Amino acid sequence: MRTSHKINTEEKNLVKLKVRNMKLRCIECGREYPIDEVRYRCDCGDLLEVVHDLNDLDAENLRELFDKRWGSMQFPYNSGVWRYKELILDVDDKFIVSKPEGNTNLYRAGKAGEYAGVKRMFLKHEGENPTASFKDRGMTCGVTAAKMLGCKKVACASTGNTSASMAAYASIAGMEAIVFIPEGKIAFGKLAQALAYGAKTLQIEGNFDDAMQLVQQVCSELNIYLLNSINPFRIEGQKAIAFEILQQLNWEVPDWFVLPGGNLGNNSALSKALRELYEIGIIDKIPRIAVIQAHGANPLYRMWKNKTPFKPVQAETIATAVKIGNPVSWKKSIRGLKWSNGVVEEVSEQEIMDAKAMIDRAGIGAEPASCCTVAGTKKLVEAGIINKDDLVVGILTGNLLKDPDSVVNYHLSRLKGIKSTYANRPIKIKATVKAAKQALIES
Ligand SMILES: *Cc1c(COP(=O)(O)O)cnc(C)c1O
Ligand SMILES: [Zn+2]
């Protein structure tokens, strides 16, 4: 497979002038490439990352700048990604494609925190993004890069949320969106979005990992810009989750960040963000990161726990957003775990859905994959790894309404192999006051 391709070079000179102090670098061999080359892998085959020149950034000035932009109504600083532009993609505003995204709530975890067993827990609700998942943060950056590079067509493989997000941003940017989704089992809310926003949707006979393989080949052959999280600009945008959480905590550094792991882009972004803030001197310690995988899609967990080489698995889980057996970013993920003295944990289907019931009932709500966060925190507290007094921030990656089937089926006790521990069943009654009274007094 080719590792790079040309798309359209008309705007190339322009781009050179507009992108400041950035290059692409291989995470394995260190080889560097210009930032305006369409390329997702090094010639050695490994992943690339965006490297910023952090030398001329001053911690105090930068923090002040970010704080001054907080609450701004002015494009692009009204976005919770572009507020941190200097650390993400310092590009001319005219290229920026923004909905705007971010500015999501950081909730006190309440009952969900009690359930997890920690006293001070916050839940960052990334399901409050414009297309209802954290993917919008990476996508605004990825589609902006596509525009900057002069691309007209973009594609991704997706378990649902990436396609929903890409479809929306491509539409705004006037680009054609092509999505590859695995057959069956894609949550209804997500499929609905991809179709609604007008993406050309290819439902392939195979799982996500097959779709991921295929989209890389197709993009290379047909010169289409690839917007999976193998795209280093996606990772840059997702870093903003960390920046925004810290800003919401008035730059107090938590002890832990806990988040689900699927294709492993998000935790890679988180660790990169924290390391950069640390290097600049905006924070003086790097919080620990806990990546939580579903038991049925746990290649990172196996590798980390057993200290064995990375080996893909056949993925199966109710948490469809993390139903990925061969995650693209495992190497970046491992590197980030080293930087952050991180841990990996796995959770069962039962633990995911019970944690979900608690997050939902706390009035916060999230889709199943997100709930690995609270389920995993609970396990790590029980194992004595997370301390009850630690300040813990869990990331909820997607909205409750993405997967309404999983909610209703849980509460109606219709999930195979899962006990509906906290079911809230609807009560059927006759349409009379008497029947209503009876139901309300009895229950
Ligand atoms: C994409 C996604 C994940 C997994 O994130 P990775 O970066 O692939 O590890 C988790 N939860 C939700 C809701 C997602 O959409
Ligand atoms: Zn290399």
Side-chain angles (χ1 to χ4, degrees):
M1 203 192 310
R2 283 182 291 164
T3 48
S4 73
H5 59 89
K6 292 238 170 335
I7 287 194
N8 167 346
T9 48
E10 265 168 50
E11 297 199 69
K12 203 140 196 175
N13 291 333
L14 229 166
V15 170
K16 279 224 166 69
L17 291 173
K18 297 297 178 189
V19 185
R20 287 173 280 271
N21 302 329
M22 295 165 70
K23 56 196 169 205
L24 297 173
R25 189 161 70 201
C26 174
I27 63 160
E28 192 59 44
C29 76
R31 183 161 170 193
E32 293 182 349
Y33 301 92
I35 197 77
D36 56 349
E37 185 170 331
V38 178
R39 167 181 279 282
Y40 323 100
R41 285 186 187 278
C42 177
D43 282 340
C44 82
D46 235 303
L47 299 175
L48 297 174
E49 67 177 342
V50 173
V51 181
H52 300 263
D53 183 2
L54 303 176
N55 286 327
D56 50 349
L57 295 173
D58 173 77
E60 206 136 306
N61 287 343
L62 207 53
R63 222 173 96 162
E64 228 169 76
L65 184 66
F66 296 158
D67 285 340
K68 207 175 71 194
R69 289 176 185 160
W70 186 264
S72 170
M73 287 188 277
Q74 190 201 332
F75 172 90
Y77 305 120
N78 56 351
S79 156
V81 171
W82 299 103
R83 182 186 307 130
Y84 314 103
K85 183 177 190 207
E86 289 74 11
L87 297 182
I88 288 175
L89 180 62
D90 201 354
V91 66
D92 194 292
D93 287 355
K94 74 177 189 201
F95 292 113
I96 293 178
V97 183
S98 170
K99 283 205 35 119
E101 43 295 310
N103 298 312
T104 59
N105 283 301
L106 183 67
Y107 293 107
R108 280 177 197 285
K111 285 179 197 143
E114 283 168 32
Y115 175 77
V118 277
K119 291 185 193 133
R120 290 190 304 158
M121 184 172 193
F122 288 92
L123 292 171
K124 175 66 166 169
H125 209 327
E126 288 297 298
E128 295 175 352
N129 271 290
T131 77
S133 84
F134 79 82
K135 299 298 197 300
D136 292 341
R137 298 215 189 228
M139 205 52 75
T140 182
C141 194
V143 172
T144 295
K147 189 164 165 182
M148 177 181 99
L149 295 164
C151 306
K152 301 282 183 276
K153 291 184 185 187
V154 292
C156 69
S158 178
T159 60
N161 282 334
T162 302
S163 60
S165 182
M166 192 189 77
Y169 280 86
S171 172
I172 287 173
M175 296 172 191
E176 188 183 339
I178 302 146
V179 308
F180 291 73
I181 55 172
E183 65 183 340
K185 302 234 167 129
I186 165 167
F188 227 57
K190 306 176 187 182
L191 178 60
Q193 285 177 293
L195 299 175
Y197 294 133
K200 191 167 279 178
T201 303
L202 306 179
Q203 198 148 13
I204 69 152
E205 291 174 14
N207 59 24
F208 171 82
D209 299 304
D210 301 323
M212 189 65 226
Q213 271 294 321
L214 184 62
V215 74
Q216 291 182 65
Q217 283 166 349
V218 171
C219 282
S220 164
E221 299 259 328
L222 299 182
N223 289 343
I224 301 169
Y225 194 59
L226 178 60
L227 279 175
N228 277 98
S229 55
I230 190 176
N231 183 311
F233 295 105
R234 282 272 315 275
I235 302 291
E236 289 310 293
Q238 286 169 208
K239 288 187 330 196
I241 302 175
F243 301 155
E244 195 171 277
I245 290 169
L246 285 163
Q247 201 171 14
Q248 283 169 313
L249 292 172
N250 200 20
W251 304 101
E252 182 188 354
V253 183
D255 298 298
W256 288 94
F257 277 108
V258 187
L259 77 172
N263 218 6
L264 304 177
N266 208 23
N267 68 84
S268 301
L270 182 61
S271 59
K272 186 171 190 284
L274 295 168
R275 192 174 157 105
E276 287 169 358
L277 290 182
Y278 182 77
E279 275 177 21
I280 298 166
I282 292 183
I283 58 176
D284 58 9
K285 65 162 187 174
I286 296 185
R288 299 184 74 183
I289 294 177
V291 180
I292 316 298
Q293 293 207 294
H295 170 71
N298 65 353
L300 186 76
Y301 174 75
R302 288 182 191 213
M303 179 188 184
W304 187 82
K305 181 81 180 172
N306 306 328
K307 301 188 168 57
T308 47
F310 175 78
K311 195 168 144 246
V313 301
Q314 196 66 34
E316 187 53 59
T317 170
I318 190 168
T320 52
V322 291
K323 195 178 148 189
I324 295 171
N326 189 14
V328 160
S329 295
W330 68 268
K331 256 192 200 177
K332 285 186 180 176
S333 188
I334 289 286
R335 185 180 68 164
L337 288 165
K338 282 188 190 130
W339 288 343
S340 67
N341 188 22
V343 300
V344 188
E345 182 56 277
E346 65 166 1
V347 287
S348 67
E349 304 287 278
Q350 185 69 50
E351 288 166 331
I352 291 172
M353 291 310 286
D354 283 345
K356 173 168 159 55
M358 299 312 291
I359 295 167
D360 291 355
R361 195 173 289 187
I364 297 170
E367 68 164 285
S370 307
C371 303
C372 289
T373 294
V374 168
T377 303
K378 180 172 159 65
K379 269 188 115 165
L380 291 168
V381 170
E382 284 163 3
I385 296 167
I386 295 181
N387 202 302
K388 282 180 172 28
D389 300 316
D390 285 348
L391 178 59
V392 180
V393 177
I395 299 173
L396 299 179
T397 44
N399 196 287
L400 177 138
L401 291 175
K402 287 280 193 173
D403 189 355
D405 288 340
S406 73
V407 181
V408 174
N409 288 331
Y410 178 88
H411 290 289
L412 296 180
S413 303
R414 282 185 190 159
L415 294 176
K416 257 202 207 116
I418 294 173
K419 229 175 82 204
S420 298
T421 322
Y422 306 107
N424 177 23
R425 290 179 198 88
I427 307 162
K428 280 196 178 149
I429 60 160
K430 289 217 166 66
T432 64
V433 172
K434 190 177 160 216
K437 271 187 180 163
Q438 209 167 23
L440 295 176
I441 291 160
E442 275 176 11
S443 61

mmCIF file with all atom_site columns, all heavy atoms in Angstrom, residues 145-163:
data_model
loop_
_atom_site.group_PDB
_atom_site.id
_atom_site.type_symbol
_atom_site.label_atom_id
_atom_site.label_alt_id
_atom_site.label_comp_id
_atom_site.label_asym_id
_atom_site.label_entity_id
_atom_site.label_seq_id
_atom_site.pdbx_PDB_ins_code
_atom_site.Cartn_x
_atom_site.Cartn_y
_atom_site.Cartn_z
_atom_site.occupancy
_atom_site.B_iso_or_equiv
_atom_site.pdbx_formal_charge
_atom_site.auth_seq_id
_atom_site.auth_comp_id
_atom_site.auth_asym_id
_atom_site.auth_atom_id
_atom_site.pdbx_PDB_model_num
ATOM 1   N N   . ALA A 1 145 ? -8.128  20.482 8.072  1.00 0.00 ? 145 ALA A N   1
ATOM 2   C CA  . ALA A 1 145 ? -6.906  20.059 7.379  1.00 0.00 ? 145 ALA A CA  1
ATOM 3   C C   . ALA A 1 145 ? -7.232  19.680 5.933  1.00 0.00 ? 145 ALA A C   1
ATOM 4   O O   . ALA A 1 145 ? -6.507  20.042 5.000  1.00 0.00 ? 145 ALA A O   1
ATOM 5   C CB  . ALA A 1 145 ? -6.255  18.894 8.107  1.00 0.00 ? 145 ALA A CB  1
ATOM 6   N N   . ALA A 1 146 ? -8.349  18.984 5.747  1.00 0.00 ? 146 ALA A N   1
ATOM 7   C CA  . ALA A 1 146 ? -8.770  18.588 4.396  1.00 0.00 ? 146 ALA A CA  1
ATOM 8   C C   . ALA A 1 146 ? -8.970  19.824 3.518  1.00 0.00 ? 146 ALA A C   1
ATOM 9   O O   . ALA A 1 146 ? -8.525  19.872 2.368  1.00 0.00 ? 146 ALA A O   1
ATOM 10  C CB  . ALA A 1 146 ? -10.066 17.777 4.462  1.00 0.00 ? 146 ALA A CB  1
ATOM 11  N N   . LYS A 1 147 ? -9.580  20.827 4.088  1.00 0.00 ? 147 LYS A N   1
ATOM 12  C CA  . LYS A 1 147 ? -9.844  22.073 3.339  1.00 0.00 ? 147 LYS A CA  1
ATOM 13  C C   . LYS A 1 147 ? -8.524  22.782 3.004  1.00 0.00 ? 147 LYS A C   1
ATOM 14  O O   . LYS A 1 147 ? -8.305  23.227 1.882  1.00 0.00 ? 147 LYS A O   1
ATOM 15  C CB  . LYS A 1 147 ? -10.745 22.975 4.173  1.00 0.00 ? 147 LYS A CB  1
ATOM 16  C CG  . LYS A 1 147 ? -11.246 24.185 3.421  1.00 0.00 ? 147 LYS A CG  1
ATOM 17  C CD  . LYS A 1 147 ? -12.419 24.797 4.156  1.00 0.00 ? 147 LYS A CD  1
ATOM 18  C CE  . LYS A 1 147 ? -12.708 26.187 3.640  1.00 0.00 ? 147 LYS A CE  1
ATOM 19  N NZ  . LYS A 1 147 ? -13.815 26.813 4.389  1.00 0.00 ? 147 LYS A NZ  1
ATOM 20  N N   . MET A 1 148 ? -7.670  22.824 3.996  1.00 0.00 ? 148 MET A N   1
ATOM 21  C CA  . MET A 1 148 ? -6.364  23.448 3.832  1.00 0.00 ? 148 MET A CA  1
ATOM 22  C C   . MET A 1 148 ? -5.548  22.743 2.742  1.00 0.00 ? 148 MET A C   1
ATOM 23  O O   . MET A 1 148 ? -4.805  23.370 1.996  1.00 0.00 ? 148 MET A O   1
ATOM 24  C CB  . MET A 1 148 ? -5.698  23.331 5.195  1.00 0.00 ? 148 MET A CB  1
ATOM 25  C CG  . MET A 1 148 ? -4.339  23.808 5.385  1.00 0.00 ? 148 MET A CG  1
ATOM 26  S SD  . MET A 1 148 ? -3.943  23.437 7.131  1.00 0.00 ? 148 MET A SD  1
ATOM 27  C CE  . MET A 1 148 ? -3.004  21.940 6.940  1.00 0.00 ? 148 MET A CE  1
ATOM 28  N N   . LEU A 1 149 ? -5.716  21.428 2.636  1.00 0.00 ? 149 LEU A N   1
ATOM 29  C CA  . LEU A 1 149 ? -4.963  20.644 1.656  1.00 0.00 ? 149 LEU A CA  1
ATOM 30  C C   . LEU A 1 149 ? -5.674  20.588 0.305  1.00 0.00 ? 149 LEU A C   1
ATOM 31  O O   . LEU A 1 149 ? -5.186  19.966 -0.636 1.00 0.00 ? 149 LEU A O   1
ATOM 32  C CB  . LEU A 1 149 ? -4.752  19.218 2.181  1.00 0.00 ? 149 LEU A CB  1
ATOM 33  C CG  . LEU A 1 149 ? -3.877  19.093 3.432  1.00 0.00 ? 149 LEU A CG  1
ATOM 34  C CD1 . LEU A 1 149 ? -4.059  17.729 4.078  1.00 0.00 ? 149 LEU A CD1 1
ATOM 35  C CD2 . LEU A 1 149 ? -2.412  19.338 3.102  1.00 0.00 ? 149 LEU A CD2 1
ATOM 36  N N   . GLY A 1 150 ? -6.855  21.200 0.236  1.00 0.00 ? 150 GLY A N   1
ATOM 37  C CA  . GLY A 1 150 ? -7.580  21.253 -1.026 1.00 0.00 ? 150 GLY A CA  1
ATOM 38  C C   . GLY A 1 150 ? -8.333  19.984 -1.389 1.00 0.00 ? 150 GLY A C   1
ATOM 39  O O   . GLY A 1 150 ? -8.617  19.729 -2.561 1.00 0.00 ? 150 GLY A O   1
ATOM 40  N N   . CYS A 1 151 ? -8.694  19.181 -0.405 1.00 0.00 ? 151 CYS A N   1
ATOM 41  C CA  . CYS A 1 151 ? -9.395  17.915 -0.680 1.00 0.00 ? 151 CYS A CA  1
ATOM 42  C C   . CYS A 1 151 ? -10.887 18.147 -0.889 1.00 0.00 ? 151 CYS A C   1
ATOM 43  O O   . CYS A 1 151 ? -11.487 18.968 -0.212 1.00 0.00 ? 151 CYS A O   1
ATOM 44  C CB  . CYS A 1 151 ? -9.224  16.938 0.477  1.00 0.00 ? 151 CYS A CB  1
ATOM 45  S SG  . CYS A 1 151 ? -7.520  16.668 0.909  1.00 0.00 ? 151 CYS A SG  1
ATOM 46  N N   . LYS A 1 152 ? -11.459 17.375 -1.789 1.00 0.00 ? 152 LYS A N   1
ATOM 47  C CA  . LYS A 1 152 ? -12.895 17.513 -2.065 1.00 0.00 ? 152 LYS A CA  1
ATOM 48  C C   . LYS A 1 152 ? -13.707 16.320 -1.555 1.00 0.00 ? 152 LYS A C   1
ATOM 49  O O   . LYS A 1 152 ? -14.925 16.393 -1.433 1.00 0.00 ? 152 LYS A O   1
ATOM 50  C CB  . LYS A 1 152 ? -13.122 17.648 -3.583 1.00 0.00 ? 152 LYS A CB  1
ATOM 51  C CG  . LYS A 1 152 ? -12.411 18.847 -4.219 1.00 0.00 ? 152 LYS A CG  1
ATOM 52  C CD  . LYS A 1 152 ? -13.150 20.149 -3.951 1.00 0.00 ? 152 LYS A CD  1
ATOM 53  C CE  . LYS A 1 152 ? -12.503 21.335 -4.638 1.00 0.00 ? 152 LYS A CE  1
ATOM 54  N NZ  . LYS A 1 152 ? -11.386 21.906 -3.837 1.00 0.00 ? 152 LYS A NZ  1
ATOM 55  N N   . LYS A 1 153 ? -13.006 15.210 -1.328 1.00 0.00 ? 153 LYS A N   1
ATOM 56  C CA  . LYS A 1 153 ? -13.695 13.998 -0.864 1.00 0.00 ? 153 LYS A CA  1
ATOM 57  C C   . LYS A 1 153 ? -13.028 13.480 0.398  1.00 0.00 ? 153 LYS A C   1
ATOM 58  O O   . LYS A 1 153 ? -11.796 13.413 0.458  1.00 0.00 ? 153 LYS A O   1
ATOM 59  C CB  . LYS A 1 153 ? -13.611 12.900 -1.923 1.00 0.00 ? 153 LYS A CB  1
ATOM 60  C CG  . LYS A 1 153 ? -14.417 13.165 -3.163 1.00 0.00 ? 153 LYS A CG  1
ATOM 61  C CD  . LYS A 1 153 ? -14.330 11.963 -4.098 1.00 0.00 ? 153 LYS A CD  1
ATOM 62  C CE  . LYS A 1 153 ? -15.057 12.286 -5.403 1.00 0.00 ? 153 LYS A CE  1
ATOM 63  N NZ  . LYS A 1 153 ? -15.146 11.127 -6.278 1.00 0.00 ? 153 LYS A NZ  1
ATOM 64  N N   . VAL A 1 154 ? -13.845 13.091 1.359  1.00 0.00 ? 154 VAL A N   1
ATOM 65  C CA  . VAL A 1 154 ? -13.306 12.545 2.607  1.00 0.00 ? 154 VAL A CA  1
ATOM 66  C C   . VAL A 1 154 ? -13.993 11.219 2.916  1.00 0.00 ? 154 VAL A C   1
ATOM 67  O O   . VAL A 1 154 ? -15.142 11.001 2.537  1.00 0.00 ? 154 VAL A O   1
ATOM 68  C CB  . VAL A 1 154 ? -13.490 13.532 3.788  1.00 0.00 ? 154 VAL A CB  1
ATOM 69  C CG1 . VAL A 1 154 ? -12.619 14.763 3.610  1.00 0.00 ? 154 VAL A CG1 1
ATOM 70  C CG2 . VAL A 1 154 ? -14.959 13.938 3.942  1.00 0.00 ? 154 VAL A CG2 1
ATOM 71  N N   . ALA A 1 155 ? -13.277 10.337 3.603  1.00 0.00 ? 155 ALA A N   1
ATOM 72  C CA  . ALA A 1 155 ? -13.845 9.026  3.914  1.00 0.00 ? 155 ALA A CA  1
ATOM 73  C C   . ALA A 1 155 ? -13.397 8.554  5.283  1.00 0.00 ? 155 ALA A C   1
ATOM 74  O O   . ALA A 1 155 ? -12.386 9.014  5.811  1.00 0.00 ? 155 ALA A O   1
ATOM 75  C CB  . ALA A 1 155 ? -13.429 8.006  2.857  1.00 0.00 ? 155 ALA A CB  1
ATOM 76  N N   . CYS A 1 156 ? -14.180 7.617  5.851  1.00 0.00 ? 156 CYS A N   1
ATOM 77  C CA  . CYS A 1 156 ? -13.790 6.977  7.107  1.00 0.00 ? 156 CYS A CA  1
ATOM 78  C C   . CYS A 1 156 ? -14.477 5.628  7.227  1.00 0.00 ? 156 CYS A C   1
ATOM 79  O O   . CYS A 1 156 ? -15.501 5.390  6.599  1.00 0.00 ? 156 CYS A O   1
ATOM 80  C CB  . CYS A 1 156 ? -14.155 7.854  8.307  1.00 0.00 ? 156 CYS A CB  1
ATOM 81  S SG  . CYS A 1 156 ? -15.935 7.997  8.602  1.00 0.00 ? 156 CYS A SG  1
ATOM 82  N N   . ALA A 1 157 ? -13.855 4.765  8.021  1.00 0.00 ? 157 ALA A N   1
ATOM 83  C CA  . ALA A 1 157 ? -14.538 3.564  8.494  1.00 0.00 ? 157 ALA A CA  1
ATOM 84  C C   . ALA A 1 157 ? -15.065 3.916  9.864  1.00 0.00 ? 157 ALA A C   1
ATOM 85  O O   . ALA A 1 157 ? -14.440 4.695  10.576 1.00 0.00 ? 157 ALA A O   1
ATOM 86  C CB  . ALA A 1 157 ? -13.563 2.402  8.592  1.00 0.00 ? 157 ALA A CB  1
ATOM 87  N N   . SER A 1 158 ? -16.208 3.339  10.244 1.00 0.00 ? 158 SER A N   1
ATOM 88  C CA  . SER A 1 158 ? -16.787 3.806  11.491 1.00 0.00 ? 158 SER A CA  1
ATOM 89  C C   . SER A 1 158 ? -17.697 2.776  12.134 1.00 0.00 ? 158 SER A C   1
ATOM 90  O O   . SER A 1 158 ? -18.392 2.031  11.447 1.00 0.00 ? 158 SER A O   1
ATOM 91  C CB  . SER A 1 158 ? -17.577 5.088  11.219 1.00 0.00 ? 158 SER A CB  1
ATOM 92  O OG  . SER A 1 158 ? -18.198 5.553  12.384 1.00 0.00 ? 158 SER A OG  1
ATOM 93  N N   . THR A 1 159 ? -17.670 2.748  13.469 1.00 0.00 ? 159 THR A N   1
ATOM 94  C CA  . THR A 1 159 ? -18.689 1.989  14.197 1.00 0.00 ? 159 THR A CA  1
ATOM 95  C C   . THR A 1 159 ? -19.924 2.875  14.387 1.00 0.00 ? 159 THR A C   1
ATOM 96  O O   . THR A 1 159 ? -20.880 2.469  15.010 1.00 0.00 ? 159 THR A O   1
ATOM 97  C CB  . THR A 1 159 ? -18.181 1.539  15.580 1.00 0.00 ? 159 THR A CB  1
ATOM 98  O OG1 . THR A 1 159 ? -17.850 2.702  16.343 1.00 0.00 ? 159 THR A OG1 1
ATOM 99  C CG2 . THR A 1 159 ? -16.945 0.659  15.465 1.00 0.00 ? 159 THR A CG2 1
ATOM 100 N N   . GLY A 1 160 ? -19.877 4.094  13.863 1.00 0.00 ? 160 GLY A N   1
ATOM 101 C CA  . GLY A 1 160 ? -21.062 4.941  13.878 1.00 0.00 ? 160 GLY A CA  1
ATOM 102 C C   . GLY A 1 160 ? -20.806 6.413  14.148 1.00 0.00 ? 160 GLY A C   1
ATOM 103 O O   . GLY A 1 160 ? -21.206 7.274  13.366 1.00 0.00 ? 160 GLY A O   1
ATOM 104 N N   . ASN A 1 161 ? -20.111 6.711  15.232 1.00 0.00 ? 161 ASN A N   1
ATOM 105 C CA  . ASN A 1 161 ? -19.974 8.122  15.603 1.00 0.00 ? 161 ASN A CA  1
ATOM 106 C C   . ASN A 1 161 ? -19.042 8.915  14.698 1.00 0.00 ? 161 ASN A C   1
ATOM 107 O O   . ASN A 1 161 ? -19.289 10.094 14.422 1.00 0.00 ? 161 ASN A O   1
ATOM 108 C CB  . ASN A 1 161 ? -19.515 8.236  17.058 1.00 0.00 ? 161 ASN A CB  1
ATOM 109 C CG  . ASN A 1 161 ? -20.664 7.999  18.021 1.00 0.00 ? 161 ASN A CG  1
ATOM 110 O OD1 . ASN A 1 161 ? -21.828 8.219  17.668 1.00 0.00 ? 161 ASN A OD1 1
ATOM 111 N ND2 . ASN A 1 161 ? -20.359 7.542  19.224 1.00 0.00 ? 161 ASN A ND2 1
ATOM 112 N N   . THR A 1 162 ? -17.983 8.292  14.228 1.00 0.00 ? 162 THR A N   1
ATOM 113 C CA  . THR A 1 162 ? -17.079 8.997  13.317 1.00 0.00 ? 162 THR A CA  1
ATOM 114 C C   . THR A 1 162 ? -17.811 9.344  12.022 1.00 0.00 ? 162 THR A C   1
ATOM 115 O O   . THR A 1 162 ? -17.676 10.449 11.495 1.00 0.00 ? 162 THR A O   1
ATOM 116 C CB  . THR A 1 162 ? -15.832 8.138  13.013 1.00 0.00 ? 162 THR A CB  1
ATOM 117 O OG1 . THR A 1 162 ? -15.188 7.833  14.241 1.00 0.00 ? 162 THR A OG1 1
ATOM 118 C CG2 . THR A 1 162 ? -14.854 8.876  12.116 1.00 0.00 ? 162 THR A CG2 1
ATOM 119 N N   . SER A 1 163 ? -18.619 8.410  11.534 1.00 0.00 ? 163 SER A N   1
ATOM 120 C CA  . SER A 1 163 ? -19.342 8.672  10.285 1.00 0.00 ? 163 SER A CA  1
ATOM 121 C C   . SER A 1 163 ? -20.379 9.773  10.475 1.00 0.00 ? 163 SER A C   1
ATOM 122 O O   . SER A 1 163 ? -20.541 10.637 9.605  1.00 0.00 ? 163 SER A O   1
ATOM 123 C CB  . SER A 1 163 ? -19.987 7.401  9.744  1.00 0.00 ? 163 SER A CB  1
ATOM 124 O OG  . SER A 1 163 ? -20.894 6.864  10.659 1.00 0.00 ? 163 SER A OG  1
#
